[in-house]
Amino acid sequence: MSGAGVPSQSARESQTSAKRGIDLPLIQKNEAGMTLRNRQFDFDFIVIGSGFGGSVAAYRLAEKGYKVAVMEMGRRWSAQDLPRTSWSIHRWFWRPRLGLRGFFNMRLFRHATIFHGCAVGGGSITYAGTLLAPPERVWDLGSWAGVADWKAEMPRHYETAARMLGVTENTILGPADDLLKRTAEATGCGGTFSPTRVGIFQAPSPEQGRSFPDPFLGGEGPARSACVACGGCIMGCRFGAKNTLDLNYLYLAEKLVVRVLPETRVVDVKPIPGSADGSFGYEVRTVRSTAWTRRHPQSFTCTGVVFAASSLGTMELLFRLKEKGSLPGISSKLGKHVRTNSESLIGARVPGCREDLSQGIAIGSRVHIDEHTHIEAVRYPSGSDTMCFLTTQLTDGRPGAARIALWLKNIIRAALRHPFRSWRLFQPFGWARESVILLCMQALDGHIEMRWQRPWFWPFRKALVSRGNKVPTYIPRANDFAKRFAQIAGGTAMSMLPEIVFDIPGTAHCIGGCAIAGSAGQGVVDLRQRVFGYKNMYICDGSVIAANLGVNPSLTITALAERAMSFLPSASETNWNDAAA
């Protein structure tokens, strides 16, 4: 930070020039013809967010010799601190204003219920560890189509991302995976069943839970423990088996002296006076994210900025900055073409199930019920039963009053005819042990829009609100698959309560909103993920994705960030003049 006790301005300039091996001009001209003396910045780059894109950016920039800081709104977690079950609400949910300082967040919008993570390591702390590449056809859809030769370029970046994240084929198949396979065979798609590819350290059964030296990063990473098949990946891995970003990209970045500031919320990013496009660098202002009163405001300067706060987080921050005049040049396409991966959450509960359906890894297997539709078997660890309050009996029919009426009729009929069974179906205790969530994703185009407006229910301030045509919550083939799954398991097919009552889909994979495109009239960033209208400014998170992937997006976000960072020169060769084409 700037302050007393630092070298004089000229001394700092000389030190910086010597450090980078380049001659920096002492005087630059601004637009008004005035002169602006180069200054010593606190950092070369500030990365806002530490998820799959931000962690990649931090590590690759540090490798190239840049001085990097990462501003992360969430807390830093260790395996010992993570909650055992979802009943530890204060250590699971992230709502700091309510005193909840966990790592999992749920945002309710008119068009989607969005689940996402908030921690050092971003969504990797709460993700299921599933790392899949999408079908090639996604590169021909959306605003990024034709902008680059994606099909030729991306395979090598996927390979790098997979190596860094320790991707391997799942070898731990639990009872839920067996049920998925049997259902696939019964519905004629058994040939598509396959274990997922995951970033989880696995070993033969006798060695589960045993600690091993770093198996992924050539001995440069931390020791790891073999997966114990507890199904707890989504609640945060308490055994050190899941490849969270604090164990690979961020771990290596911090070894290169990248400074990570947890519980730090960015509230402003603006060009340093003298150049509206950031040519003279940026000032980044922060506050403590978990504080109620003493928010400890700070100010940092940097030459370049990487926004990597997740699709929702980056959109929200950029909307604020655009409105307040800090970054007025952000494209008007901000918030357009936000996608949910066309997801639907269905499943089954088997009260009194003899087998523990929570055993295995969080997402252990998958099937394709048609060329566009992909279903994965998902579980929570035994004891994590709070998700029961979001589930209800599956009901067919198109969204609207008729579907709600049919749902109520089915609930009342079941309660009258089988009261004890109905009670067992809806009471929370034992839910995780007796339930399987079927995560349905589609690589079909469909999107909503996010705007910065005053919500009707709270007109005192602006916030993100969703607009546009709704993404379908009723996927007939997926519902049929869930009913057959429940029949084979001896249970009852289930769905998400908001999908039935409010026609609102749930998704853990919100993407888009700052899409890659060929111009500012089509998107927010160019093919190298440089922000249109500004210099040395990038976006590296799921917001740049321009099509529904149909699979979990973590690997794609990582690979795209690897690609974006590969274009930057080393610190000794940069001219600090990188702008969107």
Side-chain angles (χ1 to χ4, degrees):
M1 287 180 55
S2 302
V6 296
S8 67
Q9 186 118 8
S10 59
R12 292 198 304 265
E13 289 161 353
S14 300
Q15 291 168 4
T16 304
S17 299
K19 170 188 170 185
R20 294 181 180 160
I22 57 175
D23 294 325
L24 293 178
L26 293 182
I27 301 294
Q28 292 182 343
K29 295 261 186 184
N30 65 13
E31 295 88 342
M34 303 295 289
T35 59
L36 180 69
R37 181 175 293 273
N38 263 344
R39 58 177 294 176
Q40 171 74 41
F41 296 95
D42 297 314
F43 302 99
D44 295 328
F45 277 96
I46 288 179
V47 180
I48 304 170
S50 62
F52 288 96
S55 293
V56 171
Y59 175 50
R60 295 307 181 192
L61 289 170
E63 262 194 329
K64 292 173 185 281
Y66 295 101
K67 184 180 180 183
V68 182
V70 177
M71 309 297 177
E72 169 55 54
M73 187 164 64
R75 294 172 55 191
R76 187 186 288 270
W77 292 85
S78 67
Q80 296 75 28
D81 297 331
L82 291 164
R84 289 181 175 272
T85 74
S86 60
W87 292 106
S88 298
I89 299 295
H90 67 291
R91 288 197 296 152
W92 182 40
F93 255 83
W94 172 258
R95 277 289 189 277
R97 291 184 180 179
L98 299 178
L100 307 178
R101 299 177 180 177
F103 51 85
F104 174 76
N105 203 356
M106 181 169 64
R107 299 280 298 272
L108 304 176
F109 295 92
R110 181 65 188 89
H111 294 72
T113 301
I114 298 174
F115 309 100
H116 61 102
C118 184
V120 173
S124 73
I125 303 300
T126 189
Y127 90 132
T130 310
L131 296 162
L132 304 171
E136 281 194 342
R137 64 178 177 272
V138 303
W139 306 109
D140 298 323
L141 305 172
S143 59
W144 60 15
V147 172
D149 191 355
W150 301 108
K151 294 177 184 178
E153 290 186 42
M154 289 306 297
R156 67 178 181 273
H157 298 298
Y158 275 112
E159 183 180 344
T160 300
R163 183 176 66 253
M164 290 292 297
L165 295 174
V167 178
T168 185
E169 185 174 283
N170 175 39
T171 60
I172 302 173
L173 296 176
D177 304 301
D178 179 61
L179 285 171
L180 184 69
K181 182 177 182 180
R182 288 164 56 192
T183 306
E185 291 170 347
T187 55
C189 57
T192 69
F193 174 87
S194 65
T196 48
R197 292 184 62 77
V198 295
I200 295 174
F201 179 45
Q202 302 171 69
S205 297
E207 297 182 323
Q208 288 183 355
R210 179 185 159 197
S211 180
F212 291 82
D214 166 46
F216 297 113
L217 304 173
E220 294 297 316
R224 308 299 298 279
S225 294
C227 178
V228 298
C230 70
C233 314
I234 295 175
M235 289 302 304
C237 181
R238 297 184 296 110
F239 303 96
K242 188 173 71 168
N243 291 334
T244 51
L245 294 164
D246 56 325
L247 300 178
N248 41 65
Y249 279 105
L250 273 184
Y251 183 89
L252 296 179
E254 291 191 279
K255 288 181 73 171
L256 293 175
V257 203
V258 168
R259 185 178 173 191
V260 178
L261 285 77
E263 302 178 50
T264 301
R265 181 186 172 203
V266 172
V267 294
D268 200 8
V269 178
K270 59 183 179 182
I272 288 173
S275 178
D277 66 358
S279 296
F280 296 156
Y282 298 90
E283 180 185 15
V284 178
R285 294 183 180 273
T286 69
V287 296
R288 187 169 178 81
S289 63
T290 52
W292 284 334
T293 53
R294 297 181 180 178
R295 308 202 70 186
H296 192 52
Q298 298 185 85
S299 177
F300 304 88
T301 57
C302 60
T303 318
V305 177
V306 179
F307 289 89
S310 81
S311 180
L312 274 184
T314 293
M315 276 192 290
E316 190 166 40
L317 180 55
L318 289 179
F319 269 122
R320 288 182 187 275
L321 299 179
K322 183 178 176 69
E323 182 187 50
K324 71 190 296 186
S326 294
L327 297 177
I330 296 293
S331 168
S332 61
K333 292 299 180 180
L334 175 64
K336 309 291 187 184
H337 298 101
V338 178
R339 292 174 164 87
T340 65
N341 233 0
S342 293
E343 292 184 9
S344 177
L345 297 173
I346 47 183
R349 182 170 184 179
V350 189
C353 182
R354 294 181 180 179
E355 296 183 290
D356 185 350
L357 297 179
S358 70
Q359 292 296 296
I361 67 170
I363 299 179
S365 58
R366 59 178 180 150
V367 298
H368 289 270
I369 61 175
D370 61 37
E371 63 175 325
H372 302 294
T373 311
H374 163 224
I375 292 179
E376 299 172 343
V378 186
R379 72 217 80 190
Y380 276 78
S382 182
S384 292
D385 303 324
T386 56
M387 289 296 287
C388 174
F389 299 115
L390 286 177
T391 60
T392 189
Q393 188 171 331
L394 187 145
T395 303
D396 284 326
R398 297 198 174 278
R403 189 182 190 190
I404 296 173
L406 179 59
W407 167 69
L408 289 172
K409 178 181 176 181
N410 291 341
I411 294 291
I412 294 170
R413 178 188 296 172
L416 292 175
R417 295 177 62 181
H418 306 287
F420 181 66
R421 182 177 178 182
S422 296
W423 175 82
R424 294 189 68 182
L425 186 65
F426 292 108
Q427 64 87 22
F429 302 106
W431 177 88
R433 188 184 182 280
E434 300 171 347
S435 299
V436 178
I437 297 172
L438 298 175
L439 171 57
C440 175
M441 294 175 279
Q442 292 189 306
L444 295 174
D445 195 30
H447 53 82
I448 59 177
E449 179 183 345
M450 289 290 183
R451 297 181 186 175
W452 190 245
Q453 295 180 343
R454 299 183 191 276
W456 64 267
F457 57 86
W458 189 254
F460 305 105
R461 63 177 179 85
K462 291 186 177 182
L464 279 183
V465 296
S466 61
R467 292 288 185 267
N469 296 323
K470 287 193 172 184
V471 177
T473 60
Y474 175 51
I475 304 174
R477 288 205 61 184
N479 278 19
D480 291 343
F481 188 90
K483 286 185 281 188
R484 192 61 184 275
F485 184 100
Q487 181 184 38
I488 290 172
T492 301
M494 307 292 285
S495 181
M496 291 287 288
L497 189 62
E499 293 189 8
I500 299 292
V501 178
F502 304 113
D503 187 26
I504 298 176
T507 179
H509 304 136
C510 178
I511 53 179
C514 301
I516 294 172
S519 70
Q522 298 174 304
V524 178
V525 296
D526 75 348
L527 76 167
R528 297 187 181 183
Q529 294 173 226
R530 299 173 294 194
V531 177
F532 289 115
Y534 292 92
K535 291 187 177 180
N536 310 310
M537 182 182 288
Y538 311 83
I539 299 178
C540 289
D541 57 29
S543 67
V544 304
I545 294 175
N548 276 323
L549 303 178
V551 296
N552 315 63
S554 303
L555 186 64
T556 296
I557 296 169
T558 306
L560 284 169
E562 285 279 10
R563 178 183 179 275
M565 292 298 102
S566 72
F567 293 113
L568 271 70
S570 66
S572 63
E573 297 174 343
T574 186
N575 60 10
W576 292 113
N577 196 37
D578 199 17

